[in-house]
Amino acid sequence: METPQDAHATSAAAPAAPDPLVEPGAELTEDELRRYSRHIIIPEIGVTGQRRLKNAKVLVMGAGGLGSPALLYLAAAGVGTLGIVDDDEVDDSNLQRQIIHTTSRIGVPKTESAAAAIADLNPATDVVVHNVRLDSGNALEIFAGYDLILDGTDNFATRYLVNDAAAILGKPYVWGSILRFDGQVSVFWRGHGPTYRDLYPEAPPAGTVPSCAEGGVFGVLCAQIGSVMVAEAIKLITGSGRSLLGRVLILDSLEMTWREIRVRPDPELVQPTELLEDYGAFCGITAVSADEEPLPAVDARQLAELLERRAAGEEDFLLVDVREPGEAEIVSIEGARLAPRGLVLGGEIDLPRDTPLILHCKSGGRSGEVLRHLAGEGYDDVRHLDGGILAWVREVEPGKPVY
Amino acid sequence: MAEVLVDIPQVLAPSVDGARELRVEVPGGGAAVREVLDVLARDHPRFGRKIRNELGEVRRYANVFVGQDNIRDLAGQDTPVPDGVRVMIMQSVAGG
């Protein structure tokens, strides 16, 4: 770590669009002139701009909600090389928003599914598939091959990793982030303007902000934010217009308002010069070590028995569902009381100390987190449901829906 | 009495009874950010603790804007809130 000399040297006031990021590639073919004609006849892009796009290498982090529309628009625009990093597979719960994937490709790695869609849309695109989870060991090497990074990942730890790797390499980083109806989008570029750390030096406490899988996401919000991200990428590559560098747009899709705020390099902030070893730890996520005592748990059948005995007045305990209300609406265990993880960890909900507690979530992760938190707060009779409501449905109520 | 409108991000709304916009009445003439946050912390202690730490400093994962500018780039909590200018609290989300 060192003091941010480069940030000091950068003018904080209204950073103008820098020179085009990418040199023009080979002459366009007749087919390309026709295919891209609606862009080429715009003076700000022109033949030269289109040749820059042809020569550009863009890395898209995550082929999910934001990555889906971004990849399609980047391919359609004629970006020559598209890298895709994702280690997940297509699931039917993705299809409400991840429009690059299809029903017929459920179960296929997202990188391959996206590559298939891109090949169909624009066969000239060179797709590089990185079917890996980005970590401190591979990030710099992967990023080094690209001109620009577009980040549509889904967790704070990866966000900081992507920022730091892009900052260390001095590459522009188009950032977008979404939850429910809210979106934020900007461009970060160390040496030319602020970085993600200038806006958010630290992640919020682990567990207090739900993920899209927990809190939900308005499907079309992905396109609202994702399309802005691609517009910024194209402008940076071709050197046209004014980029979002130094500005953040904040979308409330429910109220349909876009706000704009300014962000400047923070002269006090220590910018990283090398990647952290553990971004999870930086974001307050404690890795469960192999030698940690197993958490007190009940399995689904035991819980069913306990609930029967509670109904008969032979047991006294509170069954607490730490998922979000919308999840409970899809499927819940009768007799559970809802207390979302974020509200328990954030202190909005106080669970009783004089009653034994059994916690459950979807698959056992969040309930374990809440259990550790409560144990730290001195609660001494807390267990959680092994495998969450998914295990409950599998073993006790197979007729109920899962998600 | 100065009146200031404060925008609350969705992730923090549960600690202010679900409100996305709060009307804060600050005693005296003009208001600085500190006074606005003091009133919010008095009326919504949990919200207050999420925005500022035990030393009364704005937490590093919370951002407070007066108009378009982060108070970190201005005078911190001493930043005045001009008449008619909104205060916006912004917190990070990471979904994609």
Side-chain angles (χ1 to χ4, degrees), chain A residues 52-257:
Chain A
R52 293 186 197 280
L53 289 168
K54 184 177 178 176
N55 200 24
K57 299 180 174 67
V58 174
L59 182 67
V60 176
M61 289 297 311
L66 294 171
S68 287
L71 284 163
L72 288 172
Y73 268 117
L74 288 165
V79 169
T81 304
L82 284 176
I84 313 171
V85 177
D86 204 306
D87 70 340
D88 203 4
E89 288 169 0
V90 180
D91 184 82
D92 58 359
S93 68
N94 299 148
L95 299 178
Q96 152 264 18
R97 64 196 182 286
Q98 300 183 13
I99 53 165
I100 202 166
H101 307 302
T102 61
T103 306
S104 63
R105 293 198 290 268
I106 289 171
V108 172
K110 284 187 178 177
T111 47
E112 279 177 31
S113 169
I118 292 167
D120 212 20
L121 172 62
N122 191 346
T125 314
D126 188 5
V127 178
V128 183
V129 160
H130 302 276
N131 200 358
V132 294
R133 174 158 286 263
L134 195 78
D135 60 36
S136 305
N138 60 22
L140 292 172
E141 195 186 329
I142 293 175
F143 283 23
Y146 295 90
D147 302 305
L148 178 144
I149 318 298
L150 190 146
D151 182 12
T153 57
D154 62 0
N155 64 84
F156 285 108
T158 312
R159 297 287 185 171
Y160 282 95
L161 168 58
V162 172
N163 172 74
D164 290 358
I168 287 167
L169 297 170
K171 294 188 189 281
Y173 164 38
V174 180
W175 170 84
S177 191
I178 51 175
L179 180 65
R180 292 185 178 156
F181 293 97
D182 292 343
Q184 302 177 3
V185 54
S186 189
V187 172
F188 300 116
W189 195 354
R190 185 166 180 194
H192 296 267
T195 72
Y196 179 54
R197 284 179 182 270
D198 290 307
L199 179 63
Y200 294 118
E202 283 174 16
T208 57
V209 179
S211 71
C212 290
E214 298 157 3
V217 57
F218 187 41
V220 71
L221 179 65
C222 300
Q224 293 176 302
I225 294 295
S227 64
V228 174
M229 294 171 77
V230 175
E232 292 308 298
I234 292 174
K235 283 159 54 190
L236 288 167
I237 291 164
T238 58
S240 49
R242 180 162 78 107
S243 84
L244 271 180
L245 191 63
R247 298 181 288 154
V248 182
L249 293 183
I250 300 167
L251 168 64
D252 178 343
S253 198
L254 204 52
E255 292 294 314
M256 205 52 237
T257 57

Side-chain angles (χ1 to χ4, degrees), chain A residues 238-321:
Chain A
T238 58
S240 49
R242 180 162 78 107
S243 84
L244 271 180
L245 191 63
R247 298 181 288 154
V248 182
L249 293 183
I250 300 167
L251 168 64
D252 178 343
S253 198
L254 204 52
E255 292 294 314
M256 205 52 237
T257 57
W258 289 89
R259 300 255 177 95
E260 181 179 320
I261 51 128
R262 277 186 279 266
V263 51
R264 299 184 164 91
D266 179 352
E268 305 284 305
L269 190 75
V270 178
Q271 296 280 355
T273 53
E274 55 185 47
L275 296 179
L276 307 180
E277 217 163 279
D278 186 347
Y279 280 86
F282 172 71
C283 295
I285 301 160
T286 42
V288 183
S289 67
D291 52 355
E292 191 196 49
E293 292 267 315
L295 295 170
V298 296
D299 66 31
R301 291 208 173 83
Q302 288 169 326
L303 177 61
E305 275 171 37
L306 286 166
L307 284 168
E308 272 176 36
R309 285 173 36 204
R310 186 175 77 168
E314 299 161 12
E315 279 281 347
D316 182 29
F317 65 91
L318 192 64
L319 177 61
V320 181
D321 180 355

Side-chain angles (χ1 to χ4, degrees), chain B residues 29-73:
Chain B
V33 168
R34 187 185 318 279
E35 295 158 306
V36 175
L37 295 180
D38 285 348
V39 173
L40 285 172
R42 184 197 67 206
D43 296 346
H44 307 278
R46 275 182 174 140
F47 178 80
R49 286 198 291 277
K50 280 168 194 273
I51 297 301
R52 296 189 291 192
N53 66 15
E54 302 73 16
L55 302 174
E57 299 160 342
V58 174
R59 292 185 185 275
R60 287 164 69 78
Y61 51 83
N63 281 318
V64 181
F65 288 83
V66 172
Q68 291 195 332
D69 288 296
N70 196 322
I71 60 167
R72 281 205 302 256
D73 300 326

